[in-house]
Structure formats: structure tokens, C-alpha cells
Amino acid sequence: MKITVVGCGYVGLVSGACFASLGNQVICVDVDAKKVAMLKKGRSPIYEQGLEGLIQDSLRTKRIEFTTDLGSATRRSDVIFIAVGTPPKPNGDADLSYIENVTRVVAKEIKNSYKLIVEKSTVPVQTGLWIKATLARHARKNAPFDVASNPEFLREGSAVSDFLNPDRIIVGTESKKAREIMHDLYRPLKAPILFTDIKSAEIIKHASNSFLAAKISFINAISNICEAAKADVEQVAAGMGLDHRIGKEFLSAGIGFGGSCFPKDLSAFIYISNKLGYDFKLLKVVEEINEEQKKIFVKKIRKAAGDLRSKTVAVLGLAFKPNTDDMRCAPSVDIISALKQQGAKIRCYDPHAIPKAKTVLKGVTYCQDSYSCCEGSDFAVILTEWHEFKELDLKRVKTLLKQRLLFDGRNIYEPERMKKLGLRYISIGRASEGR
Ligand code: NAD
């Protein structure tokens, strides 16, 4: 199939590269000329396992091309995926202006041949209707097109593998033709495809992300009860997770969720629910608990480490989660800012996120590895559960930290082991040391 994917970000680029690897002819479009120039040379502007290899293979076989020219890409394609950003506005609503810009250009290029325009970006319910109306307004009369909704569920950090091995594919359509095209396109993936109407597909995405965010806030709330009662949230989560109705995923207590999706999708879902006449109180509390969890962690640091004005803190992990370089809404940003406000000096290290961190975190010292980060610091704080932190030589870390104190916002070590090592260890919701 001839496909255009608009937006070369985490979703668009991964989708484009994967569609090309499945044998389609793909044009990836972005307004960012620098990104496009990098991609033409086979270099990925984002860190995602396996992505650069896929791009290079498809460039070699001429299955993929990169351009800033959306008009020409649209003319040469049958299916146009919109995968541009939908960032939050200050009032929580999703900013659909990027989608609108794309839609207008695409509309002008629909001449005699049918085009299927697919919303892949995460959007509030009823956006499909609005895209259809926008296309109709800007295209010539009776231009042949359909709109479909195909929300994406990939996770940053395992995006290529998630795209190629999804639990399910959701496709919202209004016509048999659109359904058949989407069916053919996804047939090679051998995953269940659920066809719905467009509005239901849009809600499935928001509802799924909100549900997962709620699960995280739930276990974080439980972690606070565990600390107060001197119980162990890891044991509680293991016990809960064995119930197949609950499941063990997303039951890791920590410093809260971040990233470009959960916070923005929650606020957009709350906003659209309100607009539709329903006050989604549950999700407001999910947000509240998430914000509170970062503050509780900073309080714990302050209580155990003492006055922070003369202290240097080694921060290990900046990305909002491991295996990605994405810093959008990373809890590290708020936590570091709170520590700095209390007078602490920050040294930090992340295996992949430092280039992106430099654009959002100023006035901190970036280090080359965990050990140089800890050297001369009073104590360390783990904010992202990168695998390499799990394998640190903790005896060495202990000798490098003046206070022999380690805060773990992701529960990556066993408290017993730390006790034996002689490291004072404070984690989340475990009897090691409470608030
Ligand atoms: P991103 O910011 O990484 O990428 C968006 C890209 O779109 C950027 O490269 C930007 O330059 C480009 N762009 C903006 N306007 C454009 C235009 N008019 N024409 C061409 N390109 C344009 O965003 P992302 O993380 O890939 O997210 C995209 C959408 O997918 C969002 O709605 C997001 O909620 C959703 N989503 C994201 C994830 C994720 O894990 N990141 C997962 C599922 C869904």
C-alpha cells in the first residue's frame, strides 16, 4: 500500500518504519526540516530500540522516504496517517491545531482518487467528526475520502516491538471500504482487530490510558498506607497481581507517572467529559495522587538527609521511564526543581536522556556515568529504573557517597541487601524506612 505518515515523532516514525518493514511504500512527513535531513541519512532523532536499523533497511530497499512536502506525499498515497502531537492547552483540552494544519493541506490534495485519512494521534472523542468536517470544508465538492480512527498503544522504550506485536488493533470506521483497507494493512501483524465506530475507538484510547494511570495512582496510594502501617507494597502488589482480574502490570509503586501521554490524556479526558456534561471526579483524584507522590518523595529526602542547602545530590535517571530518552513530563523535572529550591546542588546522569534533559533542566551538572555522578555527592536518588542501575557496584557507590544514603524512587533494590551492605536505603512503601 502507498502510505503517508504525517509526524516523525515517537508514534509516526515508529509506525512509518514498521509499515515499511511490512512491505508497504511509506512516505514520512514532518515540518521539522532538521529531523527530515537526519532521517534521510538513516539517523533516528529519537532513541528507540531497533528503530534506526528498520529505517536504514527500508531506505536501502527504497520502501521509505522522508520529506517536508505533505502536498506531494498526499498526492502519491492512498492512506494518510495523522500522527502529529496533540499537546495540552492550559485548560487541559487537547490542542488540535497541528491536526488542523495537516487536515487543511491534505484536503486540498484530494482530487479524483480516493484517500483514507486515519487519525493515529490521541484525540478527544468527536475529533474524527471534526476532521471529516474540516476535510469537507477545504476539499473540492464530493471529493472521495473516508476518515478512520486507529489509536496507537505502543509504549516508548519498546515501541517497535509493541507496534509489531500489539495486544489488539482498534479501528474505528464508517465505511466498508475503509474497514477493508485497514484490515489488509494490519493483516500481517496477526493481532486481533476490533472494528468499532469512530467515536468509540477514540474513547477506547482515552479510557485505556486513564485506566492504567488510575492503576498506578492506586498502588501509589497503597504504598503510603504500607509505609504508615510498616507493611511492604511490593508484597501487597505481588499478592494483588496474582488475581487475574487485577493482573500484575502497572502495580509498581514509585514517584508517579509522567511522559507525554498519561498526564495529557488524563487532562484531555477530564476536559472532554466535562464538556459532554459528566464530571469525571475519579480521574481528578488520579491526577492529584500523582502530583502528591512526587512531593511525598521530596519530603522524605528532606527528612532523612537534613538541610539540603549544603548538600550535593546525585540523581540517577532523568527520562520519564527506562529505555527512552523522552523527558516530557518526567517526574525528575519536578523533583530536581524541588531539591534545587531547597538549596541542593544537583549532579545527574542518565544513560540516554541527557541531550534532551539539557533543554529542560538547567543549572545542574551532567555526568558521564553513575559513579562519577555519585563521587563527591552527599547522597543519591534513583528516579528512573534503568537496567544498568540494577547492576551497579553498590559497594563502590557506598564509598563514593558522603552520607552513605540512597533514595530509591523506583524500588529497584531489596532493602535486606542494602542493610547488609551498610547503605542507608529509603524506598517507596516498604518497611525499610518510612516517612
Ligand atoms: P512527537 O512530538 O514525538 O511527534 C510529533 C511530530 O509531529 C513532531 O516531529 C512534529 O515536528 C511533527 N509535526 C507537527 N506538526 C506537523 C505538521 N503540520 N506536519 C508534519 N509534521 C508535523 O509526538 P508523539 O509522541 O509521536 O505523539 C504523537 C501523537 O500520538 C500524540 O497525540 C500522542 O498522544 C499519541 N501517542 C503517543 C504515544 C507515545 O508513546 N509517545 C503513544 C501513543 C499515542
Side-chain angles (χ1 to χ4, degrees), residues 50-245:
L51 180 59
E52 207 163 71
L54 275 190
I55 293 169
Q56 288 167 2
D57 285 350
S58 297
L59 277 171
R60 250 193 311 276
T61 53
K62 300 199 182 334
R63 285 244 163 79
I64 203 163
E65 61 181 283
F66 298 97
T67 178
T68 53
D69 187 348
L70 175 57
S72 149
T74 304
R75 283 193 294 281
R76 293 187 288 139
S77 301
D78 308 313
V79 188
I80 293 104
F81 280 87
I82 306 180
V84 296
T86 46
K89 289 188 199 167
N91 64 3
D93 190 13
D95 177 356
L96 300 179
S97 58
Y98 301 91
I99 295 204
E100 185 167 13
N101 292 343
V102 174
T103 308
R104 281 173 188 225
V105 177
V106 169
K108 299 223 163 67
E109 302 298 339
I110 310 177
K111 302 279 165 23
N112 297 319
S113 67
Y114 172 88
K115 310 272 176 205
L116 175 60
I117 292 94
V118 187
E119 53 173 31
K120 200 157 209 23
S121 303
T122 303
V123 291
V125 60
Q126 297 178 337
T127 301
L129 280 180
W130 170 79
I131 290 179
K132 199 171 152 189
T134 310
L135 284 167
R137 203 167 45 248
H138 294 282
R140 69 163 178 73
K141 210 170 165 226
N142 296 326
F145 71 86
D146 272 317
V147 171
S149 164
N150 172 219
E152 182 51 57
F153 297 94
L154 63 76
R155 296 161 300 174
E156 286 176 28
S158 51
V160 171
S161 157
D162 286 350
F163 187 93
L164 293 171
N165 307 286
D167 288 341
R168 80 309 204 182
I169 294 157
I170 303 294
V171 180
T173 55
E174 282 181 330
S175 80
K176 187 161 172 263
K177 185 166 185 174
R179 211 162 30 248
E180 281 172 0
I181 291 173
M182 294 301 279
H183 190 261
D184 284 352
L185 183 60
Y186 278 113
R187 198 198 310 268
L189 293 190
K190 298 187 174 56
I193 306 181
L194 180 70
F195 287 100
T196 66
D197 61 82
I198 293 179
K199 287 182 265 186
S200 301
E202 291 167 338
I203 291 193
I204 287 171
K205 176 63 188 177
H206 265 165
S208 301
N209 272 8
S210 302
F211 191 84
L212 293 172
K215 223 174 154 186
I216 296 174
S217 279
F218 188 87
I219 199 66
N220 282 339
I222 298 290
S223 79
N224 294 321
I225 311 281
C226 286
E227 279 184 19
K230 299 206 183 315
D232 183 329
V233 73
E234 295 296 322
Q235 293 182 32
V236 173
M240 288 171 66
L242 284 172
D243 184 329
H244 72 273
R245 294 169 304 174

Side-chain angles (χ1 to χ4, degrees), residues 6 11 28 134 228 325:
V6 195
V11 166
C28 291
T134 310
D325 58 351

